[in-house]
């Protein structure tokens, strides 16, 4: 695709590349005009020290380093190097943007180097698949039969297909979440399924199904019937607790179109706890997006107008403390206007200390830095909108080489 920075993953896999020649250089000594030959730093650094230096590079630079020579390629491909990377501070999360409504093609944005890379996601067939990420791993589930489920590393392309989850075969709504243990690298995948009770618009069956990578088994943790509320497509796991955004099934006031329920995954209680954990949203929302930022639940929401709560007037960011929401930031009006005609719903995801916000109608990408409390646009994505109904969406993930499903 034109305008992109090429992704150099092929260099990481090319073990036949020969040793490159280093250009020698000369310098004048302080004691006279005698020319002395300098020795390449690469030749005097032991492997363990070179590994530690390379491990501090951005992920994209590590791939390029693997193309320099045979020695560097062997280093960045070694198990010891991956171990070193796991003990280095994590990279800033990338954002993958789907740039086609028909095919799952797109670009990944690196906020460190401020560049876009054209990469391919394994197994995904359409852009409407359910996607969740945690600590370098991404979970993918198809939106048709919802029987195809994978966990993969989008950088290394390592992938594992999970067995089909139990419960309803064709729910009306599904919500996917994944949580990775940063020490053991084991992971938990949860799927929340919602289906209307036949003949009753106000009652919805809701079930929670949890996969444990250590046992490689599914468990149906909870089943319940919600009255006046239904599940949707937004869920996230923070600190062992599953958070699910729920939606009014009718009969409520405009302030109660959204709500939040929680489920402690460690308790595995079978029923009766979900609606008791109900948490109100901070204000009337047009939509809400949940994310885990350093084991804190964060919600990005479209703020509805007072007299027309279904019409967006701004975007806010909140963090949940107990059962109370603390407002962290509101998008400045100049950035809100920068999206052009922003729909009442939009894409947003985040991890670590970055939150990404994107309009479905354009490839503009806005970043909020939680630590610095700063808003800024990403570099322009190398794609243009070709027709009025073209849609854009995306998700963020941590670029980690050492993670494998």
């Amino acid at each position: 695709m034109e305008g992109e920075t090429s992704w150099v993953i092929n260099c990481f896999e090319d073990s036949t590349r020969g040793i490159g020649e280093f250009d020698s250089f000369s310098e004048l000594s302080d004691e006279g005009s005698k020319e002395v030959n300098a020795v390449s730093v690469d030749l005097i650094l032991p492997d363990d020290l070179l590994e530690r230096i390379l491990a501090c590079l951005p992920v994209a630079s590590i791939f390029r380093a693997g193309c320099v020579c045979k020695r560097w390629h062997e280093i960045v491909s070694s198990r010891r190097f991956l171990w070193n990377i796991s003990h280095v501070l994590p990279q800033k999360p990338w954002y993958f943007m789907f740039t086609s409504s028909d095919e799952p093609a797109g670009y990944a944005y690196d906020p460190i180097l401020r560049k876009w890379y054209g990469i391919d996601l394994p197994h995904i067939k359409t852009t409407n698949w359910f996607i969740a990420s945690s600590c370098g791993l991404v979970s993918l589930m198809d939106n048709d039969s919802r029987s195809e489920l994978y966990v993969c590393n989008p950088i290394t392309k390592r992938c594992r297909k999970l067995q089909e989850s139990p419960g309803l075969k064709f729910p009306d709504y599904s919500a996917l979440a994944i949580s990775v243990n940063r020490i053991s690298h084991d992971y938990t995948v949860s799927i929340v399924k919602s289906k209307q009770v036949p003949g009753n618009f106000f009652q919805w069956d809701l079930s929670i199904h949890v996969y444990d990578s250590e046992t490689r088994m599914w468990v149906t943790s909870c089943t319940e019937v919600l009255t006046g509320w239904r599940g949707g497509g937004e869920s996230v796991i923070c600190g062992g607790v599953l958070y699910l955004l729920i939606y009014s099934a009718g009969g409520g006031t405009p302030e109660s179109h959204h709500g939040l329920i929680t489920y402690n995954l460690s308790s595995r209680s079978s029923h009766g706890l979900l609606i008791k954990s109900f948490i109100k949203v901070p204000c009337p929302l047009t939509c809400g997006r949940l994310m885990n930022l350093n084991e804190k639940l964060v919600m990005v929401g479209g703020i509805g107008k007072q007299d027309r709560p279904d019409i967006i007037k701004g975007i806010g960011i909140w963090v949940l403390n107990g059962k109370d929401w603390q407002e962290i930031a509101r998008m400045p009006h100049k950035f809100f206007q920068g999206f052009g005609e922003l729909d009442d719903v939009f894409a947003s995801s985040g991890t670590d200390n970055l939150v990404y916000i994107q309009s479905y109608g354009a490839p503009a990408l806005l970043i909020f830095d939680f630590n610095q409390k700063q808003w800024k646009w990403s570099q322009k994505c190398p794609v243009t909108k070709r027709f009025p109904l073209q849609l854009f969406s995306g998700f963020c993930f941590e670029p980690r080489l050492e993670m494998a499903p």
Side-chain angles (χ1 to χ4, degrees), residues 337-356:
Q337 286 184 315
F339 281 107
E341 189 175 342
L342 186 67
D343 293 330
D344 299 324
V345 295
F346 52 85
S348 182
S349 61
T351 189
D352 191 24
N353 289 306
L354 293 186
V355 173
Y356 291 95

Side-chain angles (χ1 to χ4, degrees), residues 2 13 34 55 65 94 107 113 132 151 193 209 270 281 356 397:
E2 276 187 36
E13 299 169 348
K34 185 184 295 183
W94 289 12
Y107 299 91
L113 299 180
V151 175
K193 301 182 179 183
H209 312 276
S270 59
V281 294
Y356 291 95
F397 66 95

